[in-house]
């Protein structure tokens, strides 16, 4: 973000993110790509905004979602929407592919990084084009990666074991969704900036499908929790 200071008259840059979104998980499945994110935006360390939908459709076959500074996410959505709108205005039947959006976002992030005015985002682009799945990751430095599964934020630390154990790239859509739900159960218990309300979206040969937010089931009555509480009572 860039803003002009009314007091100093000098141009200043954002030095740290303020309102941030949490982890993003995206998985390829047999017929497309599914992505998941929770609906929480934190103001610093405070869980302030709990009903924020952070998954955006940028074209009929492309989904964009990110973790990081939410205002930067909004700016990127506007930039990607301009590209799609411009393509529609030409009316020549030529539209950017999901990979085109990923490459553009990588160059934009690298340019902003070089100007010491980065987009504080870990970006995920998912799409389906000409019978092929596409899933790309672009980080704050403009590093670009294509993969069959992508995690950002604390999901990169807590969820890769779950994904490796229960997911494969040829699983069904329902199986991929369930893996994402299991990941967000773990994140809600272990990441202080995670939320138990998540939103899922997927893209296939029919186009993009963004679902309504849902609450993941959590369990807090494990015997280990109860036994530890009883042990504390007996030792006091």
């Amino acid at each position: 973000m860039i803003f002009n200071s009314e007091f100093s008259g000098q141009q200043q840059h954002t030095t740290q993110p303020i309102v941030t979104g949490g982890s993003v998980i995206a998985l390829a499945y047999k017929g497309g790509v599914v992505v998941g994110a929770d609906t929480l935006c934190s103001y610093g360390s405070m869980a302030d905004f709990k009903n924020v939908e952070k998954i955006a459709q940028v074209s009929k076959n492309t989904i964009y979602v990110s973790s990081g500074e939410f205002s930067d996410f909004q700016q990127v959505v506007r930039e990607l929407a301009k590209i799609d709108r411009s393509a529609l205005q030409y009316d020549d039947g030529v539209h950017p592919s999901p990979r085109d959006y990923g490459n553009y976002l990588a160059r934009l992030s690298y340019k902003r990084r070089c100007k010491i005015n980065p987009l504080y985002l870990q970006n995920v682009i998912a799409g389906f084009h000409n019978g092929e799945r596409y899933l790309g990751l672009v980080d704050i430095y403009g590093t670009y990666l294509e993969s069959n599964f992508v995690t950002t934020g604390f999901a990169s630390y807590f969820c890769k074991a779950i994904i490796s154990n229960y997911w494969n790239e040829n699983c069904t859509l329902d199986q991929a969704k369930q893996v994402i739900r299991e990941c967000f159960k773990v994140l809600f218990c272990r990441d202080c900036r995670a939320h138990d309300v998540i939103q899922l979206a997927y893209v296939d040969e029919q186009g993009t499908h963004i679902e309504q937010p849902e609450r993941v089931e959590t369990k807090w009555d494990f015997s280990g929790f109860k036994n530890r509480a009883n042990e504390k009572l007996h030792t006091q």
Side-chain angles (χ1 to χ4, degrees):
M1 295 180 296
I2 303 176
F3 66 93
N4 295 318
S5 172
E6 298 180 359
F7 302 100
S8 64
Q10 297 178 352
Q11 189 180 72
Q12 300 181 6
H13 301 281
T14 302
T15 56
Q16 62 181 5
I18 303 300
V19 178
T20 58
S23 300
V24 175
I25 302 168
L27 308 174
Y29 66 93
K30 189 174 183 179
V33 182
V34 58
V35 301
D38 64 26
T39 61
L40 174 66
C41 277
S42 300
Y43 181 79
S45 60
M46 180 172 62
D48 200 353
F49 310 102
K50 298 182 178 180
N51 298 299
V52 181
E53 296 187 12
K54 295 177 286 188
I55 300 177
Q57 175 184 339
V58 297
S59 74
K60 63 180 181 180
N61 63 347
T62 307
I63 291 172
Y64 167 64
V65 59
S66 70
S67 58
E69 170 62 45
F70 187 67
S71 63
D72 285 347
F73 165 79
Q74 293 174 308
Q75 180 178 349
V76 170
V77 170
R78 287 192 291 269
E79 293 297 325
L80 298 181
K82 287 180 184 178
I83 296 174
D84 183 62
R85 190 161 55 247
S86 177
L88 290 173
Q89 290 171 346
Y90 278 112
D91 196 25
D92 56 2
V94 178
H95 300 280
S97 69
R99 183 172 282 105
D100 293 332
Y101 286 108
N103 287 322
Y104 169 80
L105 190 52
R107 296 304 91 205
L108 176 63
S109 298
Y110 182 74
K111 174 184 176 181
R112 293 284 297 265
R113 165 243 178 153
C114 291
K115 292 182 177 293
I116 319 178
N117 182 30
L119 296 167
Y120 280 86
L121 297 171
Q122 289 180 299
N123 306 280
V124 176
I125 296 283
F128 194 94
H129 182 67
N130 289 339
E132 294 184 357
R133 304 170 298 191
Y134 169 81
L135 179 57
L137 171 69
V138 178
D139 70 6
I140 185 175
Y141 307 109
T143 305
Y144 175 74
L145 172 69
E146 292 184 24
S147 179
N148 286 322
F149 77 92
V150 164
T151 57
T152 72
F154 273 95
S156 299
Y157 302 96
F158 293 132
C159 298
K160 285 187 176 179
I162 298 174
I163 294 172
S164 64
N165 288 336
Y166 299 105
W167 166 86
N168 67 80
E169 60 183 284
N170 292 315
C171 66
T172 65
L173 173 61
D174 289 337
Q175 289 171 335
K177 285 182 179 180
Q178 191 57 36
V179 172
I180 291 178
R181 293 187 184 102
E182 291 299 323
C183 289
F184 276 103
K185 287 181 184 180
V186 172
L187 288 172
F188 181 62
C189 295
R190 295 189 173 273
D191 180 8
C192 65
R193 290 181 176 84
H195 193 30
D196 62 343
V197 177
I198 67 171
Q199 187 175 26
L200 301 175
Y202 63 96
V203 55
D204 55 19
E205 61 182 356
Q206 278 78 42
T208 59
H209 313 267
I210 300 178
E211 300 182 351
Q212 292 298 313
E214 62 181 82
R215 189 176 300 274
V216 297
E217 296 181 5
T218 54
K219 182 177 177 65
W220 297 94
D221 59 347
F222 291 104
S223 59
F225 294 162
K226 295 180 179 180
N227 293 338
R228 180 166 294 184
N230 293 331
E231 290 174 3
K232 288 183 178 179
L233 290 173
H234 290 305
T235 56
Q236 290 178 352

